[in-house]
Amino acid sequence: SQQGEEDPQALSIQEGENATMNCSYKTSINNLQWYRQNSGRGLVHLILIRSNEREKHSGRLRVTLDTSKKSSSLLITASRAADTASYFCATVHSGGSQGNLIFGKGTKLSVKP
Amino acid sequence: GAVVSQHPSRVICKSGTSVKIECRSLDFQATTMFWYRQFPKQSLMLMATSNEGSKATYEQGVEKDKFLINHASLTLSTLTVTSAHPEDSSFYICSATPQGLPSGNTIYFGEGSWLTVV
């Protein structure tokens, strides 16, 4: 069953602005991952944060994890038109198989040039 | 880097026929692969876990006789949609993790397969 919930469901910003997307989940997790999906295409893994980590950076991406609130955020700084895509969080719950991901509903990001 | 390939990327079939979708790990072995379905503008839903050399594990609500999964080798899993109906039209995506790696490693997704049943 779907456990992740992203908000906002859709986000439209201008190039150069920062984009913040949030994700909440319900059960204990091993790790939380963020993926990007261009329209009609497969998923690209962006970043993984483990349950004992609070923050992680990768280039223009910054992910935070608050296990007490069961929430995570993805920040894309200095956004570009090429960042336009849907972004999903996915969790591996405690005791679950590594590849058994539970996906959130996603945030559709539109970056206008 | 590791790549997972799906074929076909797009397929149109007539209602009542069966269609097979392949998922291959190109440069690593995967004892386990996962099949997801994604309806338009919705998220991915796990359908089943494909286990090499044994039966697949299906998620609740997924008909195992309709969605046949075969994982005959460490690099290939197939999903066959039998007696397809228009409501089976969807985007099907597979994923795989290199065998033997500890938890927390990257999962690789295929590019997905669009199925349209007419």
Side-chain angles (χ1 to χ4, degrees), chain B residues 66-100:
Chain B
K66 180 169 185 61
F67 298 99
L68 300 179
I69 291 173
N70 184 282
H71 195 149
S73 77
L74 287 172
T75 59
L76 174 64
S77 175
T78 60
L79 169 68
T80 301
V81 183
T82 63
S83 187
H85 288 101
E87 56 264 32
D88 298 324
S89 298
S90 184
F91 190 53
Y92 293 87
I93 309 177
C94 70
S95 72
T97 300
Q99 180 184 3

Side-chain angles (χ1 to χ4, degrees), chain A residues 30-91:
Chain A
N30 282 336
N31 62 68
L32 184 145
Q33 304 172 35
W34 283 91
Y35 287 85
R36 169 198 167 117
Q37 183 182 36
N38 288 349
S39 180
R41 303 294 298 277
L43 275 76
V44 176
H45 179 264
L46 295 177
I47 197 165
L48 179 152
I49 186 165
R50 293 183 172 80
S51 59
N52 61 353
E53 298 176 312
R54 292 296 166 257
E55 188 171 312
K56 207 162 183 179
H57 297 253
S58 177
R60 293 184 295 114
L61 305 180
R62 173 176 166 253
V63 168
T64 63
L65 178 64
D66 187 336
T67 53
S68 66
K69 295 180 179 178
K70 291 186 168 59
S71 66
S72 173
S73 68
L74 170 67
L75 168 67
I76 303 175
T77 60
S79 64
R80 305 166 182 168
D83 294 330
T84 295
S86 291
Y87 292 83
F88 295 91
C89 70
T91 54

Side-chain angles (χ1 to χ4, degrees), chain A residues 10-45:
Chain A
L11 180 62
S12 182
I13 59 174
Q14 292 294 132
E15 209 166 26
E17 294 179 341
N18 296 340
T20 300
M21 291 161 268
N22 302 296
C23 165
S24 62
Y25 57 92
K26 297 177 182 176
T27 62
S28 297
I29 60 171
N30 282 336
N31 62 68
L32 184 145
Q33 304 172 35
W34 283 91
Y35 287 85
R36 169 198 167 117
Q37 183 182 36
N38 288 349
S39 180
R41 303 294 298 277
L43 275 76
V44 176
H45 179 264

